[in-house]
Amino acid sequence: MAVANLKRQRASDTQETLPSETCFRIEFPGSDSTTVPDNDEDSASYSYSPRSANEFVDEHFIQDVSGVLDAASPLRCSDSIRAKQLAAKVCERLEALISSSPEARLLGTTKKCRRGGLLRSTKRRKHKPAPKPAPSLADPSPDSCLLLLRWIRLPLLQDGSSDGVRTLRNEEMRSWVSSFIEYVADQLKHAIAAELSPLSVRRLVAFKGHRSAPCDADSSERIDMALAQDCQSLGSVENVEAPEYANAVALIEVRQCPSEQNRAYWQLAQRTQTLHSTQLNRRFAWGLTVCGTHVRACLFGNDDILASEVMDVATESGRKQLVTLLVNWAMCESQRLGYDSTIRYNGETGQWEIDVWDNESRVTHAYIHERTLFDTSSQFGRRTRCFIASAKENSGKQPVQKVLIKDAWAPTEFPGSEVVRDELSNLRTIRDKLGADDTLAGTYSHLEAGGVVQQMHTKQRTADDTTVSIFADIDASVLEDVPARIHRRVATTPVGEQLKSVRSVDELIVVVGDVMAAHTAIVRRCGILHRDLSTNNIMFCHDDDGMVRGLLIDFDNAVLQSDLHDEQRLDQIGTFPYMSIGNLEQSSVKRTALDDWESLIYILCWLGTIGINRDDQTNVKIRSDLTICHWHDGSAANIAKAKRRTLQHSDLFGNEILACFAHPLLYANLARLILELRSQLFYNERLSRLARGCFDFEPKYSSIRKAKPRAHHLDCNIDISTVDPFARRAEFADAIVDDLLEVVQKYRKAALERIKDAQ
C-alpha cells in the first residue's frame, strides 16, 4: 500500500458528530420504551473538543496500517502456526453460534433475515428446520450469548423500527464487548484443553473499569475498559473488581458509532500515556478502540501511533481478525505485548529487579529497584526514566552501593543535525580521563555499567531492543518518516538529590561551584560539551562530613567539541527555558562552554524567582506579568528576543529580574553572584566594546573608532567588520570561562565558610 494512503489521514476524513444524546436508538426484545440519555459518560475530565482530537490524530496517528495485527503474533514459528489453528477453531465455533443459537434467531440474524442489511421478520418457513448447533467446546451462558450477539448485530438493529426505543448507553456497549472477549477466552481455553499437548496461555478478560484511576495520577482520569490477565484466584469476570492501571495489558476505549473514531483515538492516547508511568516494565503499549461494530488495534510507538485497518465485527472477516488478535495476545511472548523482560517483579521478595547490560564487559548487572526518581511525562520521544537501585549481588558484608539507573529510547539518527550524540560513549570517556582525579570525585556521573537493552527475542537468543525490531512486521514504507530509536540503560554513581532539596542559598552556591568546576574539566580534558544544563540535570549529594557536593548528570545531549565548527547551523538542544540565545535562534555561531554558562544564569534567575527549595516554592506565587515569564513562554524567537532585551542593560536586569526574587534579603548573595556572572559573560572588560552586550554593534564611523579593540583587548586581532558580540566572544571562550569559574569559586568558598560557621 502506498505511503500516501497510510500517512496521517486528515481529521476531516472522519468528522465526528457529538449529539446531546447518543447516536443509536435501538429496541431490544423485552426492553421498555423509555428514552434514557447517556449519563455514564466518563470523559468529562478531559478538555475535549472535536478540533483538538482531530489535530492530535492528524499529528500522531498513522491509520489503516495493515501490519499492525501481525505485530502481535508469537515470535516462535511453531507458536504462531498453533495460534492460527486455535483462532480458526474459535472462529468456527463463533460462526456456528451466530447462525444457530435461539438468541441469534430472536435478533433476526439468520441469512434469510439479513438480506439488504435490514432487520426483517424472524419467522422461519416451516419446511426449513433450524440448523443443529455445532458440538460445544464451552457453552456460553444465555445472557452472555445475547450480549455478544447484540454487539455483532448492531447495524441490523440500528435499521429497525423506531417505535418504542430507548437510547443506547456506553455501559451496554462495554458489556457487549466484554462478553465477546470472555467468549473468545473461554473457547480458547477449552480448545487447548482438548488437544493432546496442551500449553499454558494467558487468559485475557475485559473489565469495565470506568471507576479505576491510575495510582499516583490525576484522580479525575478513568479507564473506560481494560484488558487484563485473569488469574485463578479471580473467579468469574462479573465478580472481579475493576483493575488498576498497573494491571492493565491494554486499554479499550468504547464509543457508540464510527463517526466518533477520532474522539476514541484521542481519549485512548490520553489514558494510555499513564501506563508508562504506572508500569515499571512497560516498553510500549497496545490499545483498542471500539466505535459501534468497528474495532481498531493501536500500537503506541515513541513517535507515532499505528492504527490497524478496521475490524468490523458485523462481518465474518472482521470477527475473524479480532479473534485472531485476541488469541495472539493470549499466546505471544510478553515482550510482544510491550513488556520488558529485563525488568522483573520478584514475588518472593516483593521487589522489582532491573538488568543493566554492559556492552564493554559483556556482562549483565542486576539491581534491586528502590524508588523512581524521574518518570516519563510523555508517551512520545525518549521516555526517559530514572530509578534509584542497589546491587543485587551484595552479600551484606559491605555497604550497599546505590546507583542511578537511566532508561531512555535514544534516536539512532538525528535528521538536520551534523553532530552525533552518544551518551554511553561520552560517559566512558569522562570516566577514563577523570576517574583518577580525586578533587572531582562525586561531581559528575561516573559510569558503572551501561549498554543497549538486550530483549529476549526467542528462547534461544536475545537481541538489541530497538523500534526497528518492534515494528519488524510493519511495511518499511509506512515508517519512512518515523525515526528509529534504540533502548539504552546506564547505571551511574553517585546518587544525588534534586536541586529543590537544598536547605539554603549557601548550599545552592556550593553546588553550582562544584558543578561548573566539573563542567569545565569535562570540556577541557575530555573535549565534551554538555549542552543541557537545567534544574533537573544539576543535583547534589552529601559527603561523609555532611557537606553538600554538586553533581552534574545527564549527558544525553552532550557532543564532542571537535564535531562543532563555525558556520554550522545546529538544532535546538536543551531545556527550552534555559537555552542560550544562540541556541534558541539556531545561529551559526559555534557552540561553546559559554552557552552552558549562559544557561546557568537563567537557572539561577528562575530559582531566585520561584524559590530555591520546596519550602520557599510552596509560599511563592508567580505573577504572569513578570519579565522572567517571557523567558519560559512563547516561541523560541520571542524568548530569545526577551532575553536579549533584559540582559542588555544592567538597570533593566536588576529591576525586572533580581528585584522580583522571592526573598530579596535572603537571596542577596545569589543576586550578587548572578550580577557578576552576567558582567563577566556579556560585558567582560578583557574584550572590546564590539564583543560586549547582546546586540550587534551599530557600524557608525564615530562609534567604531571608540569601540575599535585596543592592543590589550583579547579580540584586538579580529576584524572590526564582525559586529556580532556572541561570535567575537566565542573565539575567546576559554579565557572568559576562566573569569566565570573564578567568580563561582570565590562565592563557593565564602558560602562554605558561612555553612561551617552556622554548624
Side-chain angles (χ1 to χ4, degrees):
M1 186 180 294
V3 177
N5 296 330
L6 291 170
K7 278 295 182 185
R8 303 174 177 83
Q9 299 180 359
R10 302 298 301 178
S12 57
D13 296 341
T14 53
Q15 288 294 328
E16 302 192 15
T17 59
L18 300 173
S20 58
E21 295 184 351
T22 47
C23 302
F24 296 135
R25 295 172 61 82
I26 303 172
E27 180 179 12
F28 293 126
S31 65
D32 56 34
S33 59
T34 58
T35 300
V36 182
D38 187 11
N39 293 325
D40 67 336
E41 178 61 56
D42 51 67
S43 60
S45 61
Y46 294 100
S47 300
Y48 170 78
S49 70
R51 180 178 179 180
S52 63
N54 293 341
E55 289 176 350
F56 181 87
V57 171
D58 185 51
E59 179 180 359
H60 293 292
F61 274 82
I62 303 178
Q63 301 189 54
D64 298 329
V65 181
S66 58
V68 169
L69 301 181
D70 296 331
S73 61
L75 289 170
R76 294 183 61 184
C77 183
S78 58
D79 291 343
S80 179
I81 294 174
R82 195 168 185 182
K84 291 179 181 179
Q85 295 171 344
L86 291 170
K89 292 182 179 181
V90 175
C91 288
E92 180 182 0
R93 179 58 188 160
L94 177 61
E95 296 308 315
L97 172 68
I98 292 173
S99 62
S100 63
S101 70
E103 290 82 0
R105 295 194 300 275
L106 182 61
L107 289 172
T109 58
T110 59
K111 291 183 179 180
K112 292 294 182 180
C113 298
R114 295 200 302 265
R115 185 177 301 164
L118 299 175
L119 186 65
R120 300 183 181 276
S121 171
T122 61
K123 192 174 183 180
R124 290 197 317 272
R125 296 181 183 179
K126 294 182 179 180
H127 65 277
K128 283 199 171 183
K132 295 182 180 180
S136 174
L137 289 176
D139 293 328
S141 65
D143 291 340
S144 176
C145 179
L146 183 59
L147 293 175
L148 181 155
L149 293 169
R150 281 174 176 171
W151 182 35
I152 291 174
R153 293 309 164 201
L154 187 57
L156 299 180
L157 296 170
Q158 180 187 357
D159 294 329
S161 172
S162 61
D163 296 334
V165 300
R166 63 183 178 85
T167 305
L168 177 64
R169 294 171 60 89
N170 275 354
E171 183 64 27
E172 291 175 309
M173 282 285 296
R174 298 186 190 109
S175 298
W176 300 350
V177 176
S178 179
S179 297
F180 186 96
I181 296 174
E182 180 186 1
Y183 176 84
V184 173
D186 288 339
Q187 297 302 316
L188 177 61
K189 175 183 176 181
H190 287 79
I192 292 175
E195 293 187 347
L196 295 177
S197 57
L199 71 160
S200 176
V201 300
R202 61 181 66 89
R203 173 181 167 85
L204 297 178
V205 291
F207 296 87
K208 293 171 285 185
H210 60 283
R211 290 186 178 87
S212 293
C215 299
D216 301 325
D218 187 349
S219 60
S220 62
E221 295 186 34
R222 294 291 183 269
I223 302 175
D224 201 358
M225 289 185 69
L227 193 66
Q229 183 172 349
D230 195 9
C231 301
Q232 295 180 356
S233 60
L234 293 181
S236 64
V237 177
E238 292 80 1
N239 297 328
V240 178
E241 295 181 359
E244 298 177 349
Y245 268 80
N247 301 325
V249 174
L251 302 185
I252 307 173
E253 184 64 31
V254 178
R255 308 306 304 170
Q256 298 135 345
C257 52
S259 61
E260 294 185 284
Q261 183 62 59
N262 278 2
R263 183 173 188 175
Y265 278 150
W266 182 80
Q267 290 181 325
L268 180 66
Q270 300 298 318
R271 289 158 176 164
T272 300
Q273 175 178 336
T274 315
L275 285 181
H276 295 287
S277 59
T278 56
Q279 297 186 2
L280 201 66
N281 59 339
R282 176 65 72 170
R283 294 159 55 234
F284 62 90
W286 286 91
L288 286 177
T289 63
V290 178
C291 299
T293 59
H294 289 186
V295 183
R296 285 179 170 87
C298 298
L299 181 57
F300 289 80
N302 293 73
D303 298 278
D304 291 281
I305 304 171
L306 309 183
S308 71
E309 297 174 313
V310 64
M311 297 175 281
D312 190 351
V313 296
T315 66
E316 183 176 350
S317 61
R319 292 191 292 272
K320 181 178 180 181
Q321 287 179 310
L322 181 55
V323 169
T324 302
L325 175 64
L326 294 175
V327 171
N328 282 336
W329 277 350
M331 297 184 60
C332 70
E333 298 81 359
S334 61
Q335 56 266 33
R336 296 284 270 181
L337 291 175
Y339 293 109
D340 193 336
S341 61
T342 64
I343 301 180
R344 305 168 303 279
Y345 183 75
N346 189 325
E348 296 181 358
T349 62
Q351 296 174 316
W352 286 92
E353 299 177 359
I354 303 176
D355 290 342
V356 178
W357 166 257
D358 188 71
N359 286 356
E360 193 173 37
S361 63
R362 313 296 294 178
V363 173
T364 298
H365 299 259
Y367 297 94
I368 304 297
H369 173 270
E370 293 189 3
R371 64 185 177 95
T372 300
L373 188 62
F374 296 121
D375 215 334
T376 177
S377 58
S378 173
Q379 66 188 35
F380 299 113
R382 293 176 177 266
R383 293 182 189 158
T384 301
R385 299 182 298 174
C386 292
F387 313 117
I388 295 178
S390 56
K392 180 183 178 182
E393 61 272 10
N394 190 281
S395 62
K397 297 181 180 180
Q398 299 176 350
V400 177
Q401 182 190 37
K402 292 187 178 181
V403 299
L404 177 67
I405 297 179
K406 179 182 176 183
D407 185 280
W409 291 80
T412 57
E413 298 179 356
F414 303 92
S417 176
E418 301 177 33
V419 296
V420 177
R421 307 199 297 267
D422 188 343
E423 182 180 26
L424 193 58
S425 176
N426 291 333
L427 289 174
R428 287 199 180 105
T429 300
I430 295 170
R431 179 192 62 188
D432 295 342
K433 294 189 176 182
L434 301 183
D437 191 341
D438 294 337
T439 61
L440 295 173
T443 61
Y444 59 87
S445 295
H446 182 275
L447 180 66
E448 298 293 338
V452 179
V453 174
Q454 299 297 295
Q455 204 62 233
M456 185 65 69
H457 185 67
T458 63
K459 291 184 177 180
Q460 288 75 29
R461 64 185 181 89
T462 60
D464 290 350
D465 194 14
T466 66
T467 54
V468 174
S469 62
I470 294 174
F471 298 143
D473 301 280
I474 309 297
D475 193 304
S477 62
V478 179
L479 305 173
E480 60 182 5
D481 294 332
V482 180
R485 293 181 179 270
I486 190 165
H487 190 186
R488 288 198 181 103
R489 190 176 295 152
V490 296
T492 61
T493 55
V495 175
E497 299 180 50
Q498 292 178 283
L499 200 56
K500 58 186 176 183
S501 297
V502 295
R503 293 170 292 188
S504 65
V505 168
D506 287 334
E507 284 194 348
L508 175 61
I509 292 174
V510 171
V511 169
V512 168
D514 292 337
V515 164
M516 298 316 295
H519 179 276
T520 302
I522 291 170
V523 170
R524 293 179 174 177
R525 295 162 60 179
C526 305
I528 296 172
L529 187 61
H530 190 281
R531 300 201 307 165
D532 189 16
L533 289 193
S534 69
T535 54
N536 287 334
N537 295 338
I538 297 177
M539 305 184 74
F540 73 95
C541 50
H542 289 91
D543 292 335
D544 295 337
D545 58 0
M547 299 299 294
V548 294
R549 194 169 184 83
L551 173 63
L552 181 62
I553 68 168
D554 194 359
F555 290 82
D556 218 6
N557 290 317
V559 296
L560 295 175
Q561 279 195 306
S562 58
D563 290 342
L564 304 176
H565 54 80
D566 294 329
E567 305 302 324
Q568 183 183 48
R569 191 173 184 83
L570 297 175
D571 48 352
Q572 291 176 335
I573 289 298
T575 305
F576 214 63
Y578 313 123
M579 286 183 184
S580 66
I581 293 173
N583 197 357
L584 287 166
E585 296 176 341
Q586 292 183 277
S587 72
S588 58
V589 177
K590 180 175 65 175
R591 300 291 187 269
T592 67
L594 298 183
D595 290 272
D596 285 348
W597 280 92
E598 185 180 337
S599 295
L600 176 65
I601 292 177
Y602 302 139
I603 293 170
L604 296 179
C605 288
W606 181 246
L607 291 176
T609 304
I610 67 170
I612 63 168
N613 53 35
R614 290 187 180 91
D615 294 336
D616 290 355
Q617 291 171 10
T618 303
N619 301 320
V620 173
K621 292 185 178 180
I622 305 300
R623 303 198 319 268
S624 59
D625 61 334
L626 292 180
T627 299
I628 199 170
C629 292
H630 299 305
W631 295 3
H632 287 247
D633 301 327
S635 65
N638 288 337
I639 292 176
K641 183 178 179 181
K643 289 180 176 179
R644 281 183 185 268
R645 169 188 168 274
T646 310
L647 290 165
Q648 178 71 15
H649 304 288
S650 58
D651 292 342
L652 192 64
F653 182 72
N655 294 331
E656 296 190 2
I657 301 297
L658 302 183
C660 298
F661 275 10
H663 302 285
L665 294 179
L666 292 176
Y667 294 178
N669 288 324
L670 178 62
R672 295 188 189 100
L673 170 61
I674 296 172
L675 273 176
E676 288 201 38
L677 289 175
R678 171 190 170 275
S679 176
Q680 293 295 341
L681 179 57
F682 295 103
Y683 290 91
N684 196 298
E685 294 182 356
R686 299 169 66 185
L687 300 172
S688 69
R689 289 178 58 187
L690 292 176
R692 301 177 190 175
C694 300
F695 292 96
D696 292 358
F697 195 87
E698 292 293 337
K700 296 180 181 179
Y701 178 79
S702 59
S703 58
I704 281 287
R705 289 184 58 185
K706 296 179 181 179
K708 185 176 180 180
R710 302 294 188 261
H712 65 279
H713 289 142
L714 294 175
D715 58 331
C716 61
N717 294 323
I718 298 181
D719 193 274
I720 60 174
S721 61
T722 302
V723 294
D724 183 356
F726 291 94
R728 298 183 76 91
R729 289 195 293 266
E731 295 296 323
F732 305 97
D734 286 343
I736 299 175
V737 167
D738 286 338
D739 296 338
L740 292 166
L741 190 59
E742 182 180 348
V743 170
V744 296
Q745 292 304 319
K746 178 182 69 174
Y747 276 83
R748 177 187 181 276
K749 181 179 179 181
L752 273 176
E753 292 178 354
R754 288 192 295 268
I755 293 174
K756 292 178 180 179
D757 292 341
Q759 289 179 343

